[in-house]
Amino acid sequence: MLNWIKWLLAGTLILLLAIGAALYFTLTLSLPTLDGNSHTFHVENNTSLQRDALGQAVIHADDLADAAYALGFAHAQDRFFQMDLQRRSASGGLSQWVGKRALELDKRVSFHQFEQRALVVFNNLPERQKDLLVRYAHGVNDALDEFTTPPFEYLAAGVDIQQWRPTDSILVIYSMYLDLQGSQIDIDMARQALVETFGEDIYRFITQPSHHQAALDGSEIPPSTQPVPPYPEYLNAKVDGALQHLAKLANSTYNGTELPDIGSNNWAVTGKLTQTGAGLLANDMHLGLRVPIIWYRAQLNYQEAGEDIQVTGVSLPGLPGIVVGTNNHIAWGFTNANLDNVDWVELDENTPTQTYIQKIALPDSEYTHTIEVSKFGPVKAINGKRYALNWVAHHPFAANLSIVNFGGAKHVKDAIAIGKTIAIPTQNMVVVDAQGSAAWLPAGAVMQRDKASFTAISEQDVVPAEKAKRLPVVSNPSSERIWTANARVISASDIPRLGDGGYALGARGKQIRDRLFEKDSFTENDFYAIQLDNHAAFLTPWHDLLLGLLTLQNVEFKPDIAYLNTWGECACADSVGYTLVKHFRREVVQTLFGGILGTLDQQGINSRTLLRGIEPAVWQLIYSQPESWLPDNTESYDELLVDAYRRAKHKLLDKYSPVDADMDLLRWGNVNTLTVEHPFAANIPVVGKYLNMAKVDGFGDTYMPAVQAPTFGASERFFVSPGHLDNAILTLPGGQSGHPLSNYFTQGFNDYATHAATPLLPGEIEHTRLFYKKENE
């Protein structure tokens, strides 16, 4: 019997080893071929694709079209899964991979009909840009044809690889619209629901301006002077046709938190504040962090009009060209501008609409649903009314490839001219040049209008859709400094025309601005230090409030007070006090506004979009302490605030130390651990964890330059001065390749985790692929 068990165990072990060996062998078959020669009809002249020790793609071609082919080839070799994910996320095709759990997301995305719109955009592009997309697609598909085994994601999902079409690159641009500015759709509707449900006074109270402002011209929107309105005891009679009692919901029933500040930091100084006399630029785009990472390091070397051009930076797999980078004459970067590019149009009762049938593929079937469309856009019903969405992304001028023209720019003024032509989600574009100039402008697709909308508009107020031509520019300001961080940087006088598409609060931008005025000379490393600034200026008033409250009840909160006294005034890994303050603030906000915002959620509204600007209303309540806003069975604001802290603390302990209630485990590095994971990792037993990057103690938070959440943060750290690229830095939160057996799978992540400076320029070349023009036989 014992021998039989031994043989069974040995056989099981051998079987497992055999399965592991077979799996490993299968994965090696899907590794791309990085060296060698090939012939293709899709380049006009010999072209090379090289890779350095980081896996950075270094391309040499006679022209940009051939370079686009080679970049498409590189993207497909290293990141085709990511490219496929991007096009599916914009076309409503994720359910085919992961089944019904993605169905609601696909239904929301298919509302925009981006698949059809991509063809319209492509047909309206200049011939040169069409050719770039066609060449790029050929490069992608030639690389796919070389796979003997598809990437492991396709084996795991049981999905076949589909060839890349030129219009798929337009879908990738649309995926960035959804990622970067999809919340703008929600915030306009949330404002509309707020004013309709609770009236103008509550709307003005919750959306009042903050003192956290850092416009480039120093202009400020004056603070509200209106008193706190009474707490709304009843819903508006227009909602559901009857008065309904609104309970002052207790804290625990509403768990909404602020949306992440999708968009980023960038700032610059002119040559008057550098030792070299050249401008200096910093850019860190804040996005979701996953495996593989969103950006792909690349250098394109090609000729244009008889001139050698070299562009180095980050590309987006799925698109030809460099998104953020430098050509050694200029350098440019982007952050989300959050100008108003959305109108919800309230339809008249007799306005005609059409119904379209949309089919969503599932792994073994398909799901059919309908979309209602008016002449103003797709239609959504809220509280018995129909609203049509007029969004900039729905128009033919929403996307193009004009960003590739930065390669030929010599000066800031050239870049400004190009910036006015590009069509991407509207961005704060900051650019510097080797001569020392620096400038800002809103670049991308901005809708032309004389008056922005903050809530729904009538059909009579709709204006013909066209791209705006009259936009502000700030060039070489007298301060010699430029900064943006998703908050308002336009002049207050431009707000009526350019609007508010969901600006960040402004605390982060204000902190960056203040850091820039602390010195009169900067280097790349000085800029890196600003990017890593995790000083908790925004939460300091909350810390002082909490410490004062707990000191009055010293016996119960003696350990808590000790943590608060040593909080370090930073989002530092070892700070327990920071964790306590942050979650105290969150609980207070949820307690005071949970009833109102939860009511909006019940109407199908995304109330979280309103939390981004809630800060001034919260403090007005704390200072004025109106009795009507106290929750039921609460006698004072001190009681409300202390109870909110107790709940916040207990929730934290329940999550991070449910047995021992050890407050040391609430240190910020543990609560905010950086967790960069592959989307399939959790579904692959035993070995799935090896698809993820190593976990790292959290550093930074939201309302500060060093933005970081567990799965969100700086998707690149870029510091560059044109003409001095040997000192330039480009640090990324992961490797070039999405293949777990590639040498380039994790290369670069350690620099990101340890805040080291990865050089921008390529290093020693390790691999070379040559593409020769194939002659017709």
Side-chain angles (χ1 to χ4, degrees):
M1 181 69 174
L2 187 60
N3 287 336
W4 180 83
I5 293 175
K6 288 180 179 179
W7 280 110
L8 179 62
L9 291 174
T12 302
L13 179 60
I14 292 171
L15 179 61
L16 291 174
L17 290 173
I19 292 173
L23 177 62
Y24 182 85
F25 178 72
T26 301
L27 285 176
T28 61
L29 292 178
S30 61
L31 280 167
T33 302
L34 304 183
D35 295 287
N37 306 329
S38 55
H39 292 77
T40 175
F41 289 118
H42 306 305
V43 296
E44 291 301 318
N45 295 285
N46 297 342
T47 301
S48 68
L49 165 61
Q50 300 176 310
R51 287 177 172 86
D52 71 355
L54 284 174
Q56 178 167 214
V58 181
I59 292 167
H60 292 267
D62 275 10
D63 60 26
L64 182 57
D66 283 354
Y69 170 89
L71 185 61
F73 196 95
H75 282 167
Q77 283 192 314
D78 290 330
R79 299 284 193 86
F80 187 73
F81 164 69
Q82 174 191 348
M83 297 164 61
D84 205 353
L85 204 62
Q86 296 278 99
R87 67 175 170 181
R88 287 175 181 272
S89 67
S91 61
L94 291 175
S95 298
Q96 188 177 16
W97 265 8
V98 298
K100 291 185 177 179
R101 57 184 167 173
L103 189 56
E104 288 305 313
L105 175 60
D106 281 346
K107 286 167 63 177
R108 289 198 300 271
V109 169
S110 63
F111 175 79
H112 301 289
Q113 299 177 296
F114 281 143
E115 187 88 47
Q116 298 92 314
R117 298 186 196 278
L119 183 59
V120 175
V121 167
F122 180 81
N123 290 334
N124 279 278
L125 290 176
E127 290 303 317
R128 177 174 182 255
Q129 294 185 21
K130 288 181 183 177
D131 184 48
L132 286 178
L133 292 179
V134 170
R135 292 285 198 94
Y136 178 85
H138 283 312
V140 172
N141 293 327
D142 281 356
L144 295 181
D145 289 342
E146 287 191 356
F147 282 130
T148 55
T149 299
F152 78 91
E153 293 93 347
Y154 294 88
L155 297 175
V159 176
D160 293 331
I161 289 180
Q162 296 177 4
Q163 292 278 290
W164 192 262
R165 303 165 300 177
T167 53
D168 289 336
S169 293
I170 307 298
L171 288 174
V172 171
I173 297 177
Y174 284 140
S175 75
M176 297 308 293
Y177 269 99
L178 292 168
D179 199 8
L180 294 173
Q181 296 177 356
S183 64
Q184 294 184 3
I185 300 170
D186 294 334
I187 194 169
D188 268 25
M189 184 53 72
R191 292 169 180 155
Q192 175 68 17
L194 182 65
V195 72
E196 281 213 344
T197 305
F198 298 109
E200 190 74 22
D201 288 345
I202 290 292
Y203 167 75
R204 295 296 177 194
F205 173 59
I206 287 180
T207 62
Q208 65 180 286
S210 163
H211 72 278
H212 293 287
Q213 300 182 46
L216 290 176
D217 68 351
S219 62
E220 293 193 358
I221 302 171
S224 172
T225 58
Q226 299 300 311
V228 176
Y231 189 87
E233 291 291 340
Y234 294 93
L235 294 180
N236 188 303
K238 290 184 288 186
V239 177
D240 294 333
L243 289 173
Q244 300 178 32
H245 182 64
L246 174 63
K248 297 174 188 175
L249 301 179
N251 33 44
S252 59
T253 62
Y254 181 79
N255 296 310
T257 58
E258 295 99 329
L259 293 168
D261 278 335
I262 301 287
S264 328
N265 304 322
N266 62 3
W267 63 91
V269 295
T270 69
K272 292 182 180 180
L273 300 184
T274 67
Q275 295 176 356
T276 64
L280 181 62
L281 171 77
N283 189 227
D284 56 292
M285 296 181 281
H286 304 150
L287 295 166
L289 303 179
R290 61 176 183 263
V291 177
I293 58 175
I294 188 167
W295 304 116
Y296 185 86
R297 305 174 70 103
Q299 183 183 85
L300 307 183
N301 299 271
Y302 58 94
Q303 285 196 330
E304 195 167 86
E307 184 176 355
D308 291 334
I309 292 177
Q310 181 184 87
V311 190
T312 311
V314 293
S315 62
L316 178 61
L319 287 172
I322 300 298
V323 176
V324 166
T326 179
N327 65 357
N328 208 25
H329 298 290
I330 67 163
W332 68 94
F334 297 116
T335 72
N336 229 9
N338 290 325
L339 303 185
D340 178 36
N341 277 306
V342 172
D343 287 326
W344 281 103
V345 182
E346 185 176 336
L347 299 182
D348 297 336
E349 289 186 6
N350 58 353
T351 297
T353 61
Q354 292 180 293
T355 300
Y356 292 89
I357 296 175
Q358 197 84 15
K359 294 182 179 180
I360 298 174
L362 294 166
D364 52 3
S365 61
E366 65 179 18
Y367 176 87
T368 300
H369 74 118
T370 58
I371 300 173
E372 186 180 3
V373 179
S374 75
K375 64 180 181 179
F376 304 106
V379 176
K380 184 176 183 179
I382 298 288
N383 293 327
K385 293 184 178 180
R386 296 180 305 160
Y387 298 92
L389 177 62
N390 178 24
W391 184 25
V392 67
H394 292 170
H395 298 292
F397 58 81
N400 66 27
L401 292 185
S402 295
I403 198 168
V404 302
N405 296 331
F406 284 132
K410 293 292 196 306
H411 308 285
V412 159
K413 62 180 177 60
D414 304 327
I416 291 173
I418 295 167
K420 292 178 178 179
T421 69
I422 66 177
I424 57 176
T426 311
Q427 301 291 295
N428 291 305
M429 172 180 150
V430 175
V431 59
V432 298
D433 65 25
Q435 289 73 39
S437 291
W440 160 88
L441 72 155
V446 181
M447 289 172 65
Q448 177 67 41
R449 74 250 313 265
D450 294 323
K451 182 180 179 181
S453 65
F454 297 84
T455 56
I457 64 174
S458 69
E459 294 186 23
Q460 292 70 38
D461 290 330
V462 177
V463 298
E466 59 179 303
K467 187 177 179 183
K469 299 178 178 64
R470 186 168 54 93
L471 293 172
V473 175
V474 174
S475 183
N476 293 329
S478 59
S479 70
E480 315 298 341
R481 299 161 173 87
I482 290 172
W483 58 88
T484 85
N486 315 127
R488 178 182 66 86
V489 291
I490 63 173
S491 177
S493 62
D494 283 328
I495 285 285
R497 181 170 62 93
L498 299 177
D500 176 0
Y503 292 125
L505 181 64
R508 177 161 45 93
K510 189 176 177 182
Q511 194 162 328
I512 291 170
R513 179 202 64 188
D514 293 347
R515 291 288 186 249
L516 288 174
F517 279 94
E518 290 177 351
K519 299 183 64 174
D520 292 323
S521 181
F522 296 90
T523 66
E524 290 84 353
N525 286 326
D526 292 329
F527 271 17
Y528 206 152
I530 295 175
Q531 202 281 324
L532 297 176
D533 177 16
N534 65 350
H535 175 63
F538 171 76
L539 281 183
T540 296
W542 285 97
H543 167 271
D544 296 345
L545 172 66
L546 178 59
L547 184 59
L549 288 165
L550 300 192
T551 300
L552 296 175
Q553 304 185 45
N554 182 55
V555 175
E556 178 183 354
F557 296 111
K558 191 171 183 178
D560 311 64
I561 292 171
Y563 286 118
L564 292 174
N565 281 329
T566 58
W567 80 309
E569 207 169 327
C570 64
C572 296
D574 61 352
S575 178
V576 173
Y578 184 86
T579 304
L580 298 177
V581 174
K582 177 185 174 67
H583 286 262
F584 164 63
R585 174 187 177 271
R586 176 181 295 174
E587 196 71 26
V588 170
V589 172
Q590 292 172 348
T591 300
L592 290 171
F593 293 94
I596 292 173
L597 300 180
T599 300
L600 298 183
D601 286 342
Q602 292 169 12
Q603 299 172 20
I605 300 298
N606 182 3
S607 72
R608 293 178 64 199
T609 58
L610 297 170
L611 288 171
R612 187 170 287 170
I614 203 83
E615 189 74 0
V618 180
W619 279 106
Q620 191 176 358
L621 287 173
I622 292 172
Y623 287 138
S624 60
Q625 302 194 354
E627 186 176 347
S628 70
W629 283 76
L630 282 174
D632 294 335
N633 303 317
T634 304
E635 295 185 358
S636 70
Y637 275 80
D638 280 5
E639 181 185 345
L640 179 154
L641 295 169
V642 173
D643 283 349
Y645 173 70
R646 288 192 182 99
R647 287 192 302 274
K649 173 183 170 182
H650 291 154
K651 288 178 182 179
L652 285 164
L653 290 172
D654 286 347
K655 183 174 182 179
Y656 295 100
S657 185
V659 177
D660 299 324
D662 183 356
M663 290 186 68
D664 283 341
L665 294 180
L666 303 185
R667 62 186 187 85
W668 184 240
N670 185 45
V671 172
N672 195 41
T673 300
L674 179 63
T675 309
V676 183
E677 297 183 338
H678 192 285
F680 281 16
N683 299 317
I684 301 177
V686 184
V687 297
K689 60 184 178 181
Y690 297 109
L691 301 176
N692 304 328
M693 298 295 110
K695 292 186 176 182
V696 180
D697 269 1
F699 178 92
D701 193 17
T702 46
Y703 300 103
M704 57 186 59
V707 169
Q708 193 235 293
T711 60
F712 181 86
S715 62
E716 43 83 65
R717 295 172 179 150
F718 182 49
F719 312 98
V720 60
S721 180
H724 306 277
L725 299 191
D726 287 342
N727 299 320
I729 297 167
L730 176 59
T731 304
L732 299 180
Q736 284 282 94
S737 174
H739 197 297
L741 298 185
S742 168
N743 293 334
Y744 307 129
F745 184 62
T746 61
Q747 285 283 17
F749 177 75
N750 188 60
D751 280 358
Y752 183 89
T754 59
H755 308 152
T758 308
L760 166 71
L761 293 179
E764 184 177 349
I765 297 301
E766 293 186 345
H767 300 282
T768 300
R769 277 294 299 261
L770 296 175
F771 305 103
Y772 297 106
K773 180 176 175 58
K774 191 174 186 179
E775 301 296 339
N776 292 324
E777 297 178 0

